[in-house]
Amino acid sequence: MAFPTATATAVPRHPPAGEVPATSEQMLRRRAALSCDDPDRTRLRTRIIEGNLPMASRLARRYAGRGEPYDDLAQVAALALVKAVDNFDVRRGVPFSCYAVPTILGALRRHFRDTTWAMRVPRRAQELNSMVRAATAELTQRQGHHPTNAELAGHLDVGVNDVLAALTTSQAYRLASLNAPHQDADDVETIELIGAVDPGYAAVDDHLTLLPLLADLAPRERRILTMWFYRSMTQARIATEVGISQMHVSRLLKRSVAQLRAGTPSSRADVPVTSDRPEESAKRPREDFDGSWSVRHD
């Protein structure tokens, strides 16, 4: 964005010597009376904008010191002035400033509402946040102490949860940098103390790897693996359920687990498959696959 500046077709900001300065309303009426292709329309438009830029700058200066650079605010105000000149209706018979000032102030407020928040929050939450801040200052001065959430809610005629939401919303206006030094350790960045590699990612990889490997096993072996790992059944119970000896169950478990482990890139820690004591069976780690789909009966 840039301020409107004089161009080759622009007339001087100040009229020539001896000429009576025209007001914005007079130039706007003169411009409205011209045809759309008249070159004087552009010259008059430029002269009106340049003549009112100081007013736009003064309005922008009202909002200086609120976290936004003044140059950005001045550009917002200047663009709003251009829109005010283009949209002003001379037939209403009101001073140009009565239309231009609210237009510029509205643009500045929208700038703070829509572009200065680090996170996008609903407009109602932004407005309530401003109301809570104003009410806090008023009640603190009146009562001599910081108001409670209930007192703020009663003063604003809103719910306590609405006040809490507004207070939480204020945290989204300026977000702390993850690369800033941590408050408890100046030589450590905040990002180094939060977050970690989610172990669930490895579980997903193992799960997807096991799917085709389990499909290659015989139905009886898949059933035995399900009862051992998923249902936490002892080898004796599995042998009774399947109709084979416990020794045979132990051999099938060893062979099946070895086959699965051989086809898994990131093998897990050794899984005990020979213990048949209930107390050790209860401590046995369970794999992350769901045994429901692996139970197939011939």
Side-chain angles (χ1 to χ4, degrees):
M1 298 180 192
F3 289 106
T5 55
T7 61
T9 60
V11 297
R13 179 175 170 181
H14 299 288
E19 181 179 335
V20 178
T23 64
S24 296
E25 291 78 10
Q26 291 173 339
M27 289 187 288
L28 285 166
R29 284 195 293 269
R30 191 184 311 165
R31 177 173 177 266
L34 298 174
S35 60
C36 296
D37 56 350
D38 195 316
D40 285 340
R41 285 180 61 90
T42 301
R43 288 193 288 267
L44 285 171
R45 177 178 181 268
T46 302
R47 185 172 171 181
I48 296 168
I49 292 172
E50 291 179 345
N52 286 277
L53 275 177
M55 175 187 66
S57 299
R58 288 194 300 271
L59 295 176
R61 199 168 288 112
R62 293 185 186 180
Y63 293 85
R66 301 188 183 185
E68 281 294 288
Y70 169 73
D71 289 344
D72 291 351
L73 299 177
Q75 290 181 5
V76 172
L79 287 177
L81 172 63
V82 172
K83 293 181 180 179
V85 171
D86 292 339
N87 298 331
F88 182 72
D89 188 353
V90 297
R91 294 171 298 180
R92 293 184 176 273
V94 297
F96 174 68
S97 59
C98 293
Y99 177 76
V101 170
T103 301
I104 296 172
L105 292 178
L108 289 167
R109 295 191 188 100
R110 286 192 298 272
H111 174 76
F112 276 92
R113 184 191 71 200
D114 298 336
T115 64
T116 61
W117 285 73
M119 293 180 61
R120 179 69 175 172
V121 298
R123 180 177 179 179
R124 169 59 180 166
Q126 295 183 20
E127 295 174 347
L128 186 57
N129 176 261
S130 299
M131 295 167 59
V132 167
R133 286 190 286 107
T136 300
E138 178 182 348
L139 293 179
T140 300
Q141 183 176 7
R142 182 192 306 173
Q143 301 175 170
H145 65 84
H146 193 279
T148 64
N149 293 335
E151 291 173 339
L152 288 171
H155 180 76
L156 298 174
D157 194 23
V158 297
V160 175
N161 290 337
D162 294 332
V163 173
L164 293 174
L167 294 173
T168 304
T169 298
S170 62
Q171 301 176 6
Y173 188 76
R174 286 286 185 267
L175 299 180
S177 173
L178 294 177
N179 298 111
H182 193 265
Q183 57 182 0
D184 297 331
D186 294 338
D187 57 340
V188 178
E189 294 184 352
T190 303
I191 195 172
E192 297 179 8
L193 302 178
I194 60 176
V197 177
D198 191 339
Y201 288 127
V204 171
D205 292 338
D206 290 345
H207 182 89
L208 296 176
T209 303
L210 283 173
L211 286 175
L213 297 176
L214 286 166
D216 291 339
L217 294 177
R220 184 178 64 174
E221 295 179 8
R222 286 200 298 269
R223 184 184 177 192
I224 291 175
L225 286 175
T226 299
M227 291 187 287
W228 175 256
F229 287 108
Y230 185 71
R231 299 181 183 177
S232 298
M233 295 173 60
T234 64
Q235 293 183 12
R237 289 185 57 193
I238 296 174
T240 303
E241 187 83 17
V242 179
I244 58 178
S245 67
Q246 179 180 336
M247 186 62 67
H248 196 182
V249 170
S250 178
R251 288 196 297 268
L252 290 176
L253 281 172
K254 283 184 178 181
R255 186 176 65 186
S256 300
V257 170
Q259 182 175 341
L260 295 176
R261 185 176 288 116
T264 305
S266 56
S267 299
R268 303 195 172 198
D270 292 339
V271 180
V273 296
T274 58
S275 173
D276 197 40
R277 290 182 295 177
E279 62 273 14
E280 293 188 11
S281 178
K283 298 178 182 178
R284 182 172 60 250
R286 290 165 58 179
E287 297 297 321
D288 290 331
F289 65 87
D290 186 346
S292 58
W293 45 261
S294 64
V295 179
R296 293 177 56 183
H297 302 278
D298 296 335

